[in-house]
Every structure is written in structure tokens, then in C-alpha cells.
Amino acid sequence: QVQLVESGGGLVQAGGSLRLSCAASGRTFSTYSMGWFRQAPGKDREFVAAFDYNGGNTYYADSVKGRFTISRDTAKNTVYLQMNSLKPEDTAVYYCAADRINDPLAIRTYGLYDYWGQGTQVTVSS
């Protein structure tokens, strides 16, 4: 079992920055791939970024590439999502997820993750 707790969401103006954190507990953190997903009202949950456990590769949705950065602190069992140059369309509930996924396509698929945090709201005003 893996337990995930997100924090760091809030209200920010367009162009601003936020850093989300996802603290993990339970099984060995370093053997799980970690992903960030988001869900806006009335929309499906979508992939944002991920960090695979096998090679340390990172993956990003095209909509956030160059603005968001995913990173992991193994000593703290925490994964971060640094979000810069935020846009109103980034407004959503952001979820952290974990599972043993190594495939570059599968890692972007929210239905394949077994472990999820409760989510943290990010609101970007124009």
C-alpha cells in the first residue's frame, strides 16, 4: 500500500507560480513511478507529468511542457510539481498518483494507477 498526501495548491494570478508537493508513505517510494494529473470541472482527468521509477525519466503533457517541472526527493519520500507561468486554463484539482508503471504511454494513463492522493485545488485568475 502507498498513501499519498498532496499540498501546495491555492489561488494565484496568471503568470504566477506554485509548487505542489506529494508526500508518500508505505512501500518503498523509489520503486514506484509517480504521476501528476488534473481535473477541471466538467472535464476528464488528464495527465500532467510523471517520473518513472526505472530510469528516472520524466514525461510532460504538451500543454505544460516548458512551464512545469516534476522532481522527486527520495530522502523525503516526496514528489514535487513546480508550476511556472500559470494560465487560467491550468485551473483544476491536481492529483498525485503512484504505481509500478514503466511504459512511456501507460504512464500517461490515469486508469492504470492504483494509488491516489485526495487532490489539491489550483485556481489561476486572469
Side-chain angles (χ1 to χ4, degrees):
Q1 284 281 0
V2 177
Q3 293 81 42
L4 305 171
V5 178
E6 302 101 332
S7 60
L11 173 64
V12 64
Q13 288 188 331
S17 298
L18 281 174
R19 189 177 78 159
L20 305 183
S21 299
C22 174
S25 60
R27 295 200 174 188
T28 308
F29 175 71
S30 61
T31 63
Y32 280 76
S33 294
M34 304 295 296
W36 285 98
F37 293 80
R38 65 187 182 187
Q39 189 165 18
K43 294 188 176 181
D44 287 338
R45 192 166 298 190
E46 65 173 2
F47 170 75
V48 176
F51 191 114
D52 81 41
Y53 74 91
N54 190 36
N57 299 304
T58 55
Y59 305 89
Y60 296 95
D62 288 344
S63 59
V64 306
K65 199 172 294 183
R67 299 188 297 123
F68 291 12
T69 302
I70 187 171
S71 62
R72 182 172 66 178
D73 186 330
T74 303
K76 295 183 178 181
N77 277 6
T78 301
V79 64
Y80 302 99
L81 185 67
Q82 178 66 45
M83 305 185 296
N84 299 328
S85 302
L86 282 161
K87 305 175 181 180
E89 51 264 44
D90 294 318
T91 295
V93 177
Y94 283 70
Y95 297 91
C96 175
D99 214 309
R100 291 176 175 254
I101 300 171
N102 199 34
D103 178 82
L105 291 180
I107 207 168
R108 299 168 180 264
T109 307
Y110 74 84
L112 298 180
Y113 285 79
D114 282 341
Y115 304 105
W116 291 87
Q118 82 287 353
T120 185
Q121 177 70 47
V122 171
T123 303
V124 184
S125 62
S126 56

